[in-house]
Amino acid sequence: MHVFRHLRTVNKHRRAVRRLCFKAGLYKRGLLHDLSKYSPSEFIPGARFFLGDKSPQVAERQIIGYSAAWLHHKGRNKHHFEYWRDVCDGRNICVKMPAEYFGEMVCDRVAACKIYLKDKYTDRSALEYFLERTDVNNLHEQTAADLRYFLERLAEAGEDKTFAELKQFVKKNKKMEKAKKKELHKKIKESK
């Protein structure tokens, strides 16, 4: 078991995400990011399957065939697009991620690349990971397009410009989401 090495990696990742979330104006999301990783359901497998250069979930899947820690994690953390998938009449439904969780997801992906790639990290790393390993069929079409846009923007313009733009994107979309929610509640009230 690599308890202290895993704890150090989790803490380092949370700090990196928090820093990026603060740049994107997502203060609450930055503070609350990945707290479930300290729960026994996630922390024990993380320490047991610790690799150092990639997620312990990779080793857990290779050894037991699935990752119980990942199943626990994605079901409790709305910044993972997998949280926003549902099944209806046997069909997979991908739900568009709310802006604040989308922004946190961008921060999470960039921070994870920084932590695992260390000196090999570049501003293209998160985009390359997305292109090589993300099945966009499992994301809402708009979420996938927005994610690709911001990762391409990071690769082209760098961190400061990208996260300043992400901050504006989140702010604008949160306003629209709030207005849509208000309208929906109004329609529900009227239909009763």
Side-chain angles (χ1 to χ4, degrees):
M1 293 257 284
H2 299 278
V3 174
F4 294 110
R5 291 173 72 193
H6 178 60
L7 179 61
R8 187 174 33 234
T9 300
V10 170
N11 290 340
K12 195 174 179 182
H13 172 70
R14 288 194 66 243
R15 275 192 304 275
V17 172
R18 189 168 45 250
R19 188 175 87 37
L20 294 173
C21 279
F22 287 6
K23 274 187 164 186
L26 296 165
Y27 305 104
K28 181 179 176 184
R29 301 297 346 130
L31 293 170
L32 297 176
H33 182 78
D34 276 356
L35 289 176
S36 70
K37 284 191 177 181
Y38 299 109
S39 71
S41 299
E42 294 180 36
F43 189 82
I44 293 169
R48 181 176 295 139
F49 298 108
F50 180 82
L51 296 170
D53 62 345
K54 59 183 91 132
S55 172
Q57 299 157 1
V58 172
E60 187 180 15
R61 283 187 194 99
Q62 289 172 340
I63 293 167
I64 63 174
Y66 68 97
S67 173
W70 170 246
L71 294 173
H72 185 273
H73 187 74
K74 73 175 178 131
R76 285 157 182 80
N77 292 277
K78 296 178 182 181
H79 65 274
H80 289 287
F81 68 83
E82 294 88 348
Y83 180 94
W84 299 97
R85 292 178 57 211
D86 199 0
V87 178
C88 180
D89 298 326
R91 297 176 299 123
N92 281 322
I93 307 295
C94 298
V95 179
K96 183 177 182 225
M97 290 179 73
E100 69 179 314
Y101 300 116
F102 171 81
E104 184 182 359
M105 175 177 63
V106 173
C107 298
D108 183 43
R109 285 172 168 255
V110 173
C113 287
K114 286 182 175 192
I115 299 307
Y116 289 125
L117 293 175
K118 298 176 177 79
D119 294 341
K120 294 176 187 168
Y121 173 82
T122 70
D123 285 339
R124 290 196 58 78
S125 298
L127 174 61
E128 289 168 0
Y129 184 88
F130 171 77
L131 295 173
E132 293 169 12
R133 297 179 146 200
T134 304
D135 181 0
V136 293
N137 295 319
N138 290 320
L139 278 96
H140 184 275
E141 190 176 312
Q142 189 60 54
T143 298
D146 291 340
L147 179 56
R148 184 179 185 134
Y149 170 80
F150 280 103
L151 297 179
E152 286 174 346
R153 187 82 174 112
L154 176 64
E156 295 164 7
E159 194 175 293
D160 290 338
K161 288 182 181 178
T162 301
F163 284 89
E165 189 175 334
L166 180 62
K167 183 176 187 174
Q168 294 308 310
F169 172 89
V170 169
K171 189 176 181 180
K172 176 183 150 197
N173 281 278
K174 278 177 78 172
K175 260 187 201 176
M176 291 189 317
E177 290 164 4
K178 190 174 181 180
K180 281 183 183 179
K181 198 173 189 179
K182 193 173 181 180
E183 184 63 31
L184 180 62
H185 286 306
K186 184 180 173 185
K187 284 181 182 180
I188 291 170
K189 266 186 170 180
E190 290 171 357
S191 70
K192 288 183 179 181

